[in-house]
Amino acid sequence: MAVAYETDLAKLGTLTGYSGPDQPDDDLLRACVHCGMCLPSCPTYRLTGQEMSSPRGRLWLMRGVADGRLDLLDPIFDEQMYQCLNCRACEAVCPSGVHYGPLVEAARSQLERHRPRPVWQRVLRRVALGGVFGDQRVFRAVVGGLRLYQRSGLAALVRRTGVLKPLKLAETERMMPPVAARFLRPGAERWTPSSPARAVRLFNGCVMGTVFADTNRAAGRVLAHNGAAVDVPVGQQCCGALHVHAGMMDEARALAKTNIAAFEAAPDGEIAVTAAGCGAALKEYGFLLKDDPAWAERARAFADRVRDVTELLADRPLAVPTQAVDRIVTYQEPCHLAHAQRITAQPRAILDAIPGLTLVEMRESSLCCGSAGIYNLIRREMAEELGDRKARHVLETPATAVVTANPGCAMQLRASLARNGSAASVVHVVEVLDEAYGGSAAWPPEGGREPGGSRPQRP
Amino acid sequence: MSRAHDHLIERLERILGPGGVFHRPADLLVYEYDGSVEGAVDTAAPVAVALPTTTEQVAAIVRLANEFDLPVTPRGAGTGLSGGAVAQRGGIVVALTRMDRILEIDPEDRTALVEPGVINLELSEATIPGGHFFAPDPSSQKACTVGGNVAENSGGPHCLKYGVTTNHVLGLEVVLPDGRVVWTGGRAGHAPGYDLTGALVGSEGMLGIVTKALVRLTPNPEATLVELAAFPDVESASLAVSRIIAAGIVPAALELMDNLTIQAVEPAYHAGYPMDAGAVLLAELDGIAEDVRAEGEDVAVLCRETGATSVRVASEKPERDLLWKGRKMALAAMGRLTPNYYLHDTVVPRTKLPAALRRVAEVATEYDLPIANVLHAGDGNLHPLILFDRRQPGAVERVLHASHELLHSCVELGGALSGEHGIGTEKRAALTLVFSADDLAAMAGIKNSFDPKSCFNPEKLFPAGYRCGEVRALRAQALAQKLGIYAM
Amino acid sequence: MNTPPTIDGLTPSALVTPLSAAELADTLAQAAADGLKVAPIGGGTALALGNPPERVDLALSTLALNGVLDYEPSDLVLSVAAGARFADVQALLAGHGQTLPLDPPGDAAATIGGLIATALAGPRRLGSGTLRDLLIGIAVAHPAGIVTKSGGMVVKNVTGFDLPRLYHGSLGTLGVIVSANLKVLPRARAEATLIARVVALDDALAAADRVRASRLRPVALEAALVDGAWFAAVRLEGRPATVATLAAEAAGLLESDTETLHGTDSAAWWRRYVAHQAVHAAPDEALLRFAVRPRATADLVRAVLRAVDGSGAIPRAVMASVGVGTVIVRAALDPEGAAATLSSLTATISPIADHVTVIAAPPAWKRGLDVWGGAPQTLDVMRALKSHFDPERVLNPGRFAGRI
């Protein structure tokens, strides 16, 4: 997988212009007036200082293809479309309101459709994105294997012997946090306060529901603490974000339809998401399915229900946290929260409400950490450079923990901090809030009453 | 490509390493523009782009360009609005984005030594904790580079009180067009000889490439106050500007926005601008706390006297930022209203602002183009924003005609062609509106003294046909005429 | 005035006073055609500045180019002919509550053109900058017989190359300034000066440093020896109430026997102080200017004092602009071997100071040295500029840096 996207600079043929479905929208493309205000927000531009690695440059390349001045199959086009982290920081600062994300995704989709790739690359991509992320059962089996690996003593042995180094997998291995003891299965757990004021449906997510299942449980508890009856509807699948980012639109649409149907079966209440990347993708289902008459309306209705968990919590007065969390933290903005969803104040407001906690801002807190979905697996060098830069900024602060709100960021931050000699831990916003509410102790997994008088229920 | 081309690339790679040179067509494509409006400035691709990291590399590139007889175009972030960074005659673009280190901040001398690729705002962010800021603050300050500011002599809202870039540059390390590295100016004043630093600032990359800039830092003001006054119309707001100035108050910034701008900004950013106001005036006062308080009261009174329907005062940073947000996001808000806009930049004497604004309104009607006004009212710098949709047939032409009309009117009112965006290729043809052949000959003298081969950033600033050779002839002709050697 | 003034012992054979810019340009062209060398003269207050001219045939006065060309108080800009006297301009501006925030040496006689050409600035440059910062447009007559203009009448202007700054301090070697457009500022409503009498130099420097580190933003801050006494001087401006508050704060910081002057008394004190920097030298003295980065001012002034003492010279005035990095010294030298003393004095301080300039000295002493302290690194560019604007070297030949 690590080499799946490395650009083969030999030209693989020529193709003029875009064709078929999912072309970059021409009006959107021409909304860019190349003013350059996006440049400093772009992680790849910050690292390289080169125009083609900037949002403006990439849009100009896309225009070049549309105008027939640049071949769709030019290796530089391919290189740049995939070098982009799709962090969408550029969108948040664009004076002209250019929707960059959908454009780069459409360009990638064009490359997916038209670019001849070696068979082994295609197979790898199908297996990774289609097979593993496309099916929750497979995904859970893989993560289950990982958990076994971590606990069996094999992990320690592997690290000691360094056998993964030659395979360039050592970093990937290091990134993996301890997998939760128990996965969160849809339909299996719910959190209900004694007198619920509303219903909230938790979107589980592939990584969140497995590796970070305890974070999702914390989200369930804090939402319940704030008066919501929380459940995890059955039938939900991967959000499809990784597929959209990779330009695999057909796969993404299939997943979207499954999710829409699953949550239509739980019709009332907002859909809470604990992974910023999933949230951004779910909120864009309307755009993804806009050309499908049978689904367009349903997708829009679905997207309207989606909220990031911090957004949902900050939506109304927060139940006052009572337990002091004496810690200095800094906050890393997940790109798909800050830029794609424009949620920046809410997580900070939640942290501010926690007694004992001190939030110290680091430099460039909104610059991508280099995770960007699976980018850190396929563009290791650039991802590591961004991770190091991030770790340096964390080390400049007295923080002992980095708070974030996305699993990819959490894994990338873990690895980067460790590599740069930082002992800071990485936690999700809801985990800190959960701690301030008394944590799982206040919500015993089996029976018992928590101080607020509500009772966790397990069917 | 030809052997000579291959040879050039090979030599460049020897200087910069393979990662520092771009020459494949797709790479060059993205270096054919800057921030200028398409239609007003032509795009043009170089034959190679060099991204140096040291002064020595810049010098070596320039010597190589000399050897190959190629033009050189320096480039910062490429946010310029007059085409300054576009390689109109091809050649080598020297992009300084990788020379982005702040080398030294000296709070005692109140200076900073920076490489040209340092981003304007990030310099201030680095110096503010130590008690100082870098005063020039062009609207693109989040993205533009200090090197670019030096080349364009950038202004910004706060130059009303603090002056423009040239007032804040103490010395420059420069690679001259012959490849030599020299220093002009420095930490100490009274350097002997001509003020070449002064000549280099605002020279649009035509005289040399700045590789280090020694800039002045300004102490953070002790107190800052922002006032937002709403007026029934632009005239009364302009009158308030005159009255404030006449009262002996020099605000740090004095910005005016008209109703069209308010209509775009307020719904998008909720900065609290009254939607029914004909214009709002944003005044920032800073300095010693006692003075700021007193001046703030005076400004509020003057605004009310001249017809302000409301005055909001903000002294704490979050409130101040909110009031500024509407101004800072004005362009963004416009961008969302219309597919395209042409941001204009002209300047008139302060008292001619009402006349200039009337003219803008007339031009808007005449050409059937909505024009919004955001202006640095304190120093007479107008930024008419022409809104259009380039997909409409003839729209671009209409916009270009309208802008030419605006330029003419501002010159007639005693103004200048550009307050802060530069001439570049955008306005070079209009230069003869303000300068005679003799005036241009004097400017060409500077050009020739630095760059006798005329290889730095060609096709900029001077109107077509005013290149070196012609200028010498012109001067000789002027001399001959004056001396009556022969009648013309 | 029909008698041409003497410049470094050389007397031009004629003095001409053209009545218009065009006439002045024609005069220059004629001089160029006739192979004459010209020394432009304004108020004649700074003729001692520069190396002795190689030759002077004609003194060219700008005094007939007098008067305000355009002044719109609400625009805070002013256009004046080069021969306008600085003092007259200030009087006019004062009538409208405005000012040029400058205190150059040269008494009432200095002209605007002369001040631009010589780039002389007084202690106020700490708080208000120099003419360089106020210059927004300029018109200059060249030996080609043409008058060229650049800049304009607006405070913010990037239309074309920035020639006004090139002419500032060019000592009339590129052309003769015929008019200038200047940014003006509102006059401060009140001012105060605090003079702290101290025992020694170090006390004056320490007092000045405390003021510099405070919230006060003095427009001038000096540590000086004048009339045999050391003192630190602070000039404050602003609204009356603020100035009163700040003056009290300054008195506390100065920590010594402090005298406070207000309003016109304050202004008058500074005029007397700046008079010590006037560009002329008695037959037994030299006026020198040393420049360093601001943080090195204290070291510089100590080194200068040591060198002056070591050379046997007697300091008549030592004036250090703290925060600017300029030290001006007026010293009496034993006429016996004075030229050599002066040379060794400048040589001793050269390693410490970035720039050493002999502002004024008897002509005989100047012959052996370059008063500008050596040629700048960019001399060839400067020569190219000179040869473009004045190819026949009509204007002030040899007087400027690098003997341009």
Side-chain angles (χ1 to χ4, degrees):
Chain A
M1 208 160 141
V3 287
Y5 287 91
E6 269 176 25
T7 308
D8 175 11
L9 287 178
K11 247 191 172 183
L12 296 164
T14 63
L15 192 62
T16 305
Y18 302 114
S19 50
D22 295 319
Q23 299 185 23
D25 183 283
D26 207 56
D27 279 345
L28 282 185
L29 208 47
R30 279 165 219 282
C32 171
V33 296
H34 45 86
C35 66
M37 292 306 285
C38 54
L39 299 181
S41 72
C42 176
T44 56
Y45 177 79
R46 288 312 291 247
L47 289 187
T48 63
Q50 63 200 32
E51 188 70 27
M52 54 296 262
S53 297
S54 75
R56 167 172 81 166
R58 294 189 178 111
L59 289 166
W60 194 258
L61 292 175
M62 289 179 217
R63 243 175 97 168
V65 173
D67 294 342
R69 301 173 64 206
L70 176 65
D71 197 286
L72 177 70
L73 302 183
D74 189 301
I76 291 171
F77 187 65
D78 185 287
E79 159 77 17
Q80 284 308 330
M81 291 309 112
Y82 285 100
Q83 190 194 67
C84 168
L85 297 138
N86 200 10
C87 71
R88 302 172 69 169
C90 50
E91 270 186 46
V93 299
C94 177
S96 300
V98 175
H99 297 294
Y100 177 85
L103 287 167
V104 76
E105 284 153 13
R108 286 175 182 179
S109 167
Q110 287 287 311
L111 286 166
E112 285 309 304
R113 261 172 231 287
H114 303 299
R115 171 158 191 164
R117 286 186 192 281
V119 175
W120 63 269
Q121 275 194 18
R122 290 194 168 244
V123 169
L124 257 178
R125 290 159 64 81
R126 291 291 136 191
V127 169
L129 287 181
V132 179
F133 278 91
D135 187 328
Q136 285 296 289
R137 283 166 310 177
V138 180
F139 187 82
R140 276 155 190 271
V142 171
V143 181
L146 177 67
R147 181 167 57 193
L148 198 63
Y149 161 81
Q150 284 181 341
R151 299 186 172 206
S152 64
L154 189 59
L157 181 71
V158 163
R159 273 176 217 174
R160 226 174 21 245
T161 55
V163 293
L164 290 179
K165 270 194 190 129
L167 293 171
K168 295 187 178 176
L169 283 171
E171 190 63 24
T172 311
E173 200 265 355
R174 176 154 46 173
M175 240 164 23
M176 291 308 300
V179 175
R182 218 156 31 81
F183 293 166
L184 175 59
R185 290 207 335 272
E189 293 174 49
R190 62 174 68 226
W191 298 266
T192 315
S194 49
S195 45
R198 55 176 173 160
V200 166
R201 316 294 181 174
L202 186 68
F203 184 82
N204 202 19
C206 311
V207 182
M208 290 309 295
T210 55
V211 179
F212 294 105
D214 291 335
T215 305
N216 272 0
R217 291 192 179 95
R221 284 192 295 270
V222 301
L223 284 166
H225 204 97
N226 281 276
V230 186
D231 71 344
V232 192
V234 293
Q236 48 177 308
Q237 277 286 354
C238 169
C239 65
L242 297 178
H243 306 80
V244 171
H245 298 167
M248 295 166 71
M249 296 304 186
D250 295 341
E251 291 81 350
R253 290 191 181 105
L255 289 168
K257 288 173 188 171
T258 309
N259 284 324
I260 292 166
F263 280 87
E264 280 171 350
D268 52 330
E270 290 122 326
I271 301 168
V273 190
T274 51
C278 303
L282 297 171
K283 285 181 176 178
E284 281 169 8
Y285 274 7
F287 181 83
L288 185 66
L289 292 167
K290 68 180 187 327
D291 298 325
D292 188 332
W295 286 88
E297 189 45 50
R298 294 169 70 182
R300 263 198 300 280
F302 173 90
D304 283 347
R305 291 171 66 194
V306 178
R307 302 279 185 284
D308 184 76
V309 63
T310 62
E311 188 180 13
L312 204 50
L313 285 165
D315 206 7
R316 47 201 89 190
L318 194 69
V320 178
T322 48
Q323 307 226 3
V325 180
D326 289 313
R327 210 176 301 161
I328 301 175
V329 302
T330 190
Y331 177 61
Q332 161 62 20
E333 316 219 34
C335 295
H336 282 238
L337 198 60
H339 311 313
Q341 302 185 57
R342 312 285 161 89
I343 294 172
T344 56
Q346 294 91 326
R348 291 182 167 94
I350 292 170
L351 294 174
D352 275 346
I354 296 173
L357 191 87
T358 309
L359 173 64
V360 181
E361 295 286 349
M362 65 173 139
R363 282 202 289 151
E364 298 185 346
S365 66
S366 64
L367 190 80
C368 181
C369 64
S371 160
I374 52 169
Y375 186 92
N376 46 1
L377 303 179
I378 55 186
R379 297 263 162 175
R380 191 178 309 280
E381 234 172 79
M382 185 126 344
E384 276 190 19
E385 229 178 296
L386 284 168
D388 290 345
R389 185 178 176 115
K390 185 61 64 185
R392 280 198 301 277
H393 292 155
V394 172
L395 282 164
E396 285 169 7
T397 73
T400 56
V402 183
V403 182
T404 188
N406 189 50
C409 310
M411 291 193 275
Q412 167 79 354
L413 286 167
R414 255 179 78 87
S416 308
L417 290 168
R419 193 171 55 240
N420 287 276
S422 165
S425 59
V426 181
V427 287
H428 193 288
V429 180
V430 294
E431 290 179 291
V432 190
L433 184 59
D434 183 43
E435 194 182 334
Y437 284 147
S440 55
W443 284 90
E446 306 289 341
R449 299 183 73 81
E450 60 90 43
S454 52
R455 173 194 293 273
Q457 296 173 9
R458 284 172 64 81
Chain B
M1 281 286 172
S2 70
R3 289 247 308 272
H5 179 265
D6 290 347
H7 185 49
L8 170 75
I9 301 305
E10 186 202 310
R11 294 278 302 277
L12 277 172
E13 286 184 344
R14 229 181 288 159
I15 296 167
L16 296 155
V21 185
F22 292 102
H23 57 91
R24 295 173 298 183
D27 287 328
L28 299 177
L29 203 61
V30 297
Y31 282 94
E32 66 182 10
Y33 55 75
D34 63 5
S36 319
V37 175
E38 288 164 46
V41 168
D42 291 336
T43 54
V47 299
V49 178
L51 284 100
T53 52
T54 65
T55 300
E56 292 67 35
Q57 288 180 348
V58 175
I61 296 162
V62 170
R63 286 194 298 269
L64 191 68
N66 269 294
E67 194 183 314
F68 281 78
D69 213 8
L70 283 171
V72 171
T73 302
R75 181 185 174 98
T79 56
L81 295 166
S82 53
V86 180
Q88 286 300 344
R89 276 206 275 143
I92 302 171
V93 161
V94 181
L96 296 144
T97 44
R98 288 183 185 169
M99 292 178 70
D100 63 349
R101 290 175 305 160
I102 297 173
L103 300 171
E104 181 193 292
I105 295 168
D106 190 330
E108 220 183 312
D109 277 356
R110 295 176 184 161
T111 57
L113 180 66
V114 302
E115 291 186 329
V118 168
I119 292 171
N120 173 298
L121 184 64
E122 293 181 2
L123 175 56
S124 275
E125 284 174 348
T127 58
I128 282 171
H132 300 87
F133 68 105
F134 180 54
D137 62 340
S139 296
S140 57
Q141 72 172 147
K142 279 185 178 168
C144 64
T145 63
V146 174
N149 298 160
V150 170
E152 301 293 329
N153 193 10
S154 303
H158 289 86
C159 65
L160 172 59
K161 175 172 178 177
Y162 291 104
V164 293
T165 301
T166 196
N167 305 116
H168 300 274
V169 177
L170 298 171
L172 297 168
E173 183 190 75
V174 188
V175 175
L176 294 175
D178 62 5
R180 272 182 312 147
V181 181
V182 296
W183 260 99
T184 69
R187 292 184 162 83
H190 305 294
Y194 299 128
D195 184 355
L196 299 188
T197 308
L200 282 159
V201 177
S203 64
E204 303 196 357
M206 297 170 68
L207 305 182
I209 299 179
V210 171
T211 46
K212 286 188 189 81
L214 181 73
V215 300
R216 187 197 303 278
L217 298 176
T218 305
N220 295 340
E222 184 181 81
T224 306
L225 192 72
V226 175
E227 298 191 2
L228 181 87
F231 289 87
D233 47 45
V234 170
E235 281 71 26
S236 52
S238 308
L239 182 62
V241 171
S242 299
R243 293 283 299 277
I244 291 168
I245 299 294
I249 297 167
V250 182
L254 200 50
E255 304 282 301
L256 195 156
M257 280 156 279
D258 68 0
N259 179 264
L260 187 51
T261 311
I262 299 168
Q263 296 291 332
V265 164
E266 191 49 32
Y269 299 104
H270 312 291
Y273 295 5
M275 287 288 281
D276 56 347
V280 292
L281 195 63
L282 192 68
E284 181 167 306
L285 301 153
D286 70 8
I288 297 269
E290 291 90 331
D291 274 355
V292 169
R293 212 173 305 128
E295 285 183 347
E297 283 162 18
D298 289 357
V299 168
V301 168
L302 287 167
C303 286
R304 289 210 181 84
E305 280 175 11
T306 47
T309 50
S310 68
V311 181
R312 278 173 60 196
V313 182
S315 56
E316 295 309 313
K317 187 152 188 340
E319 295 171 73
R320 296 197 319 252
D321 288 350
L322 182 67
L323 292 186
W324 265 109
K325 191 176 183 184
R327 166 65 186 89
K328 290 196 169 160
M329 299 310 283
L331 214 57
M334 292 294 169
R336 279 152 214 253
L337 273 193
T338 168
N340 303 94
Y341 57 79
Y342 186 175
L343 176 64
H344 229 283
D345 167 44
T346 60
V347 55
V348 295
R350 219 173 326 242
T351 46
K352 300 291 180 359
L353 269 183
L357 288 170
R358 273 196 298 278
R359 189 70 197 119
V360 171
E362 284 164 20
V363 169
T365 315
E366 220 171 291
Y367 289 88
D368 191 21
L369 289 163
I371 306 183
N373 284 292
V374 180
L375 42 144
H376 307 307
D379 36 36
N381 192 181
L382 290 89
H383 286 311
L385 199 64
I386 310 177
L387 312 181
F388 68 106
D389 182 347
R390 68 167 56 250
R391 290 167 302 189
Q392 285 177 0
V396 176
E397 290 70 25
R398 229 166 56 239
V399 169
L400 293 178
H401 280 129
S403 9
H404 197 69
E405 191 80 25
L406 288 175
L407 275 186
H408 257 278
S409 311
C410 289
V411 170
E412 274 166 25
L413 289 168
L417 296 179
S418 174
E420 50 189 8
H421 292 178
I423 301 299
T425 50
E426 187 202 22
K427 290 175 177 167
R428 61 193 289 226
L431 213 59
T432 49
L433 291 180
V434 282
F435 291 129
S436 70
D438 286 348
D439 302 338
L440 291 172
M443 288 182 193
I446 297 190
K447 172 69 173 166
N448 292 340
S449 302
F450 280 87
D451 183 18
K453 289 164 78 177
S454 203
C455 63
F456 262 45
N457 212 2
E459 307 295 331
K460 302 291 161 67
L461 195 142
F462 291 104
Y466 273 83
R467 292 209 302 275
C468 352
E470 291 102 309
V471 168
R472 278 205 194 94
L474 194 81
R475 201 174 61 85
Q477 182 188 322
L479 179 63
Q481 262 179 317
K482 290 282 178 191
L483 299 178
I485 293 172
Y486 48 77
M488 298 294 292
Chain C
M1 177 167 90
N2 289 316
T3 333
T6 297
I7 301 168
D8 282 329
L10 300 178
T11 310
S13 47
L15 172 75
V16 287
T17 308
L19 300 175
S20 70
E23 197 184 311
L24 194 150
D26 286 344
T27 310
L28 282 179
Q30 197 57 56
D34 296 345
L36 302 177
K37 304 297 178 192
V38 176
I41 294 175
T45 59
L47 293 179
L49 186 64
N51 288 315
E54 287 168 17
R55 208 178 95 202
V56 190
D57 302 306
L58 200 62
L60 183 62
S61 170
T62 59
L63 286 179
L65 308 180
N66 194 0
V68 170
L69 306 175
D70 192 3
Y71 176 38
E72 178 52 69
S74 303
D75 285 340
L76 289 178
V77 294
L78 165 81
S79 179
V80 283
R85 307 270 188 189
F86 177 71
D88 294 344
V89 172
Q90 287 290 55
L92 168 78
L93 292 174
H96 293 86
Q98 296 180 346
T99 189
L100 294 169
L102 307 166
D103 57 354
D107 305 325
T111 60
I112 294 292
L115 291 173
I116 296 169
T118 54
L120 291 168
R124 280 199 71 120
R125 70 176 294 172
L126 172 69
S128 328
T130 67
L131 251 178
R132 182 190 195 270
D133 301 304
L134 301 177
L135 202 52
I136 55 171
I138 202 162
V140 175
H142 304 279
I146 56 175
V147 176
T148 67
K149 65 181 188 304
S150 50
M153 273 295 268
V154 286
V155 294
K156 200 174 171 190
N157 189 354
V158 292
T159 311
F161 287 148
D162 193 353
L163 274 79
R165 257 139 292 280
L166 183 68
Y167 295 123
H168 180 254
S170 65
L171 205 72
T173 55
L174 298 175
V176 179
I177 298 162
V178 293
S179 67
N181 307 339
L182 303 168
K183 198 158 113 170
V184 301
L185 285 166
R187 234 173 104 137
R189 298 183 190 188
E191 72 162 282
T193 294
L194 289 93
I195 302 128
R197 306 274 167 203
V198 293
V199 179
L201 165 68
D202 284 351
D203 303 325
L205 289 171
D209 277 346
R210 284 194 297 276
V211 172
R212 184 157 190 253
S214 74
R215 73 167 188 138
L216 306 181
R217 298 273 173 270
V219 294
L221 178 60
E222 300 271 308
L225 169 80
V226 172
D227 298 331
W230 283 104
F231 57 85
V234 184
R235 189 176 194 176
L236 300 165
E237 283 185 353
R239 294 180 164 242
T242 314
V243 168
T245 310
L246 299 181
E249 284 180 34
L253 291 164
L254 291 169
E255 287 178 8
S256 42
D257 171 24
T258 301
E259 180 189 2
T260 305
L261 303 170
H262 289 277
T264 50
D265 291 342
S266 161
W269 187 90
W270 284 98
R271 271 195 301 278
R272 289 196 301 276
Y273 179 77
V274 174
H276 293 282
Q277 303 181 3
V279 187
H280 64 74
D284 67 338
E285 68 176 18
L287 182 68
L288 299 108
R289 182 179 66 200
F290 308 93
V292 285
R293 61 197 299 185
R295 68 184 330 164
T297 313
D299 290 339
L300 171 71
V301 67
R302 286 189 198 106
V304 167
L305 271 186
R306 270 198 309 276
V308 168
D309 281 348
S311 71
I314 297 153
R316 287 183 175 156
V318 177
M319 296 164 278
S321 287
V322 179
V324 173
T326 304
V327 176
I328 292 174
V329 176
R330 187 177 292 277
L333 275 65
D334 185 353
E336 196 67 28
T341 310
L342 191 57
S343 288
S344 82
L345 192 59
T346 56
T348 311
I349 301 168
S350 282
I352 302 154
D354 291 72
H355 308 298
V356 180
T357 314
V358 178
I359 299 282
W365 304 4
K366 283 164 76 172
R367 298 238 158 77
L369 49 84
D370 180 349
V371 301
W372 303 102
Q377 191 191 8
T378 44
L379 184 60
D380 59 333
V381 176
M382 295 182 186
R383 283 206 176 113
L385 283 165
K386 173 73 176 175
S387 79
H388 177 89
F389 288 99
D390 182 17
E392 279 87 33
R393 295 181 78 239
V394 172
L395 291 159
N396 276 344
R399 280 181 87 184
F400 195 47
R403 302 200 191 268
I404 277 174

